Amino acid sequence: GHQVVLTTTDGARLELCCPPGGTVLEAAAEAGAALPASCKQGTCGSCHATVTSGEYDLGPHSALALPPDELAHGGVLLCRTVPCGPLTAELPYPQSRILYGGVPERAAEVESITTVARDTVHLVVTLTDSPDCQFDAGQFVELELPGTGARRAYSLANTGNWEGRMEFYIRLRPDGAFSGPLAERVRPGDPLTVHGPQGAFGLHETGLRPRWLLAGGTGLAPLLAMARQMAEWQDPQPARLFLGANTPADLFGEPELKAVAAELPSFRYEFTVREADPGWTGSVGTAADLLARALSAHTGPAPDLYVCGPPPMVDAVRRAAPDCQVFHERFLAT
Ligand code: FES
């Protein structure tokens, strides 16, 4: 087999032997290390990494999962990467994101479901097997309604804790395999199965560069978690959050963001909508429009951008900010 060395952002090394013709993701799983991944067919982008040396074949994949500019700089999808010889690659996450025993399965129950905007609910879940609820801001879990087999991924909106508490913002879709039953018949006290935490999205330590968070709709969840984490840690970096929605009726999260701003003096947030109504006094446009305006008024080091929203939004953000480093949630459809 071919020797593969993977390095995490916190310097951990994972050495694998990759059988000829096999992918790096398979070799890691074979070695007992589940790397962040979901579709395993080159379409979701959650297994993204950067090759630093060595030859490889990259199998069929979607350009949304691996944009051409990343491909040109050694970007790969590990579920489609077949080494042709020794290979080294950098993983864009710390070692804590690697699940050495597979994806954990936890028992939980619904604590509350509250409507917070049009077609959007705030779901609070309590783990019932143990109060140990440690995860990194930016991660997601898959929620499953027992007996339905319906399992869907949602980002956690709160931070790790010892009260077994998990918060989500869920967009209700009438035909949604999970959100349909959630809206129709799930009530406080009902059981849920939680698979995770999973995923590579999270805050990066890049000195004192400003952090700007850009959310589309329920893409706010992981970015709210990051803002809350920054507040808990009293991170000194200047931080801003831009939330875009279709109309004012689709906006939510203001009390939570206000609470973060009260605790973290360096944090500011702004909302924008694509279609205003007569009562709206805020910005009109997309989060990428707000970003472009803010960048043109910005002095000092370029901010790092953290993005969670639909793929066209991520594209628009990249185009609006060619000089910024963009970290984006690669898996969740929002
Ligand atoms: Fe590799 Fe989805 S797991 S692209």
Side-chain angles (χ1 to χ4, degrees):
H2 301 302
Q3 195 205 28
V4 174
V5 179
L6 305 174
T7 313
T8 62
T9 52
D10 50 353
R13 278 162 59 93
L14 190 63
E15 286 189 34
L16 307 170
C17 175
C18 198
T23 68
V24 175
L25 194 71
E26 289 162 351
E30 196 57 37
L35 304 178
S38 179
C39 70
K40 301 188 180 151
Q41 48 186 9
T43 56
C44 75
S46 61
C47 63
H48 175 260
T50 305
V51 168
T52 46
S53 73
E55 302 290 317
Y56 55 92
D57 289 326
L58 192 62
H61 63 273
S62 136
L64 282 178
L66 185 64
D69 60 316
E70 291 185 10
L71 183 64
H73 292 97
V76 292
L77 300 169
L78 294 178
C79 70
R80 290 302 205 203
T81 304
V82 177
C84 307
L87 192 80
T88 62
E90 287 173 356
L91 303 174
Y93 43 81
Q95 187 181 25
S96 61
R97 305 305 177 88
I98 301 173
L99 299 170
Y100 290 97
V103 177
E105 187 176 314
R106 308 286 304 271
E109 68 178 33
V110 173
E111 188 179 309
S112 63
I113 311 173
T114 316
T115 300
V116 290
R118 180 164 59 191
D119 301 330
T120 308
V121 296
H122 180 224
L123 171 70
V124 181
V125 163
T126 310
L127 296 172
T128 49
D129 53 4
S130 136
D132 176 353
C133 188
Q134 296 304 307
F135 56 87
D136 290 331
Q139 289 199 284
F140 67 87
V141 301
E142 289 166 284
L143 296 178
E144 181 185 348
L145 290 171
T148 65
R151 183 166 157 171
R152 266 218 61 172
Y154 295 103
S155 291
L156 290 143
N158 62 329
T159 55
N161 59 81
W162 296 98
E163 287 97 49
R165 181 181 169 92
M166 294 184 159
E167 285 183 44
F168 308 91
Y169 289 99
I170 295 181
R171 177 112 190 160
L172 302 178
R173 302 173 193 280
D175 51 355
F178 181 88
S179 70
L182 181 73
E184 273 162 34
R185 59 170 180 77
V186 175
R187 298 290 171 261
D190 284 358
L192 271 184
T193 307
V194 172
H195 303 268
Q198 312 179 43
F201 192 42
L203 289 171
H204 292 248
E205 293 303 332
T206 54
L208 287 179
R209 287 218 298 269
R211 289 166 168 163
W212 289 10
L213 319 180
L214 292 113
T218 51
L220 177 64
L223 301 176
L224 175 60
M226 290 179 185
R228 286 171 155 175
Q229 183 168 309
M230 286 186 246
E232 283 171 19
W233 292 351
Q234 288 293 301
D235 279 352
Q237 295 91 328
R240 296 175 72 167
L241 183 144
F242 305 93
L243 172 64
N246 286 330
T247 72
D250 298 302
L251 283 170
F252 60 93
E254 166 116 58
E256 290 75 13
L257 291 167
K258 206 175 193 166
V260 172
E263 286 169 36
L264 191 65
S266 60
F267 177 76
R268 284 193 286 151
Y269 64 90
E270 288 165 66
F271 289 167
T272 185
V273 296
R274 270 206 293 247
E275 296 159 35
D277 59 23
W280 179 251
T281 54
S283 307
V284 178
T286 65
D289 297 335
L290 269 193
L291 169 68
R293 236 176 293 153
L295 277 176
S296 65
H298 177 72
T299 53
D304 290 334
L305 306 182
Y306 294 83
V307 190
C308 187
M313 176 195 164
V314 179
D315 255 17
V317 164
R318 283 179 185 279
R319 274 184 276 113
D323 300 326
C324 295
Q325 181 143 16
V326 178
F327 303 107
H328 65 98
E329 168 52 78
R330 290 170 171 272
F331 168 48
L332 296 171
T334 49

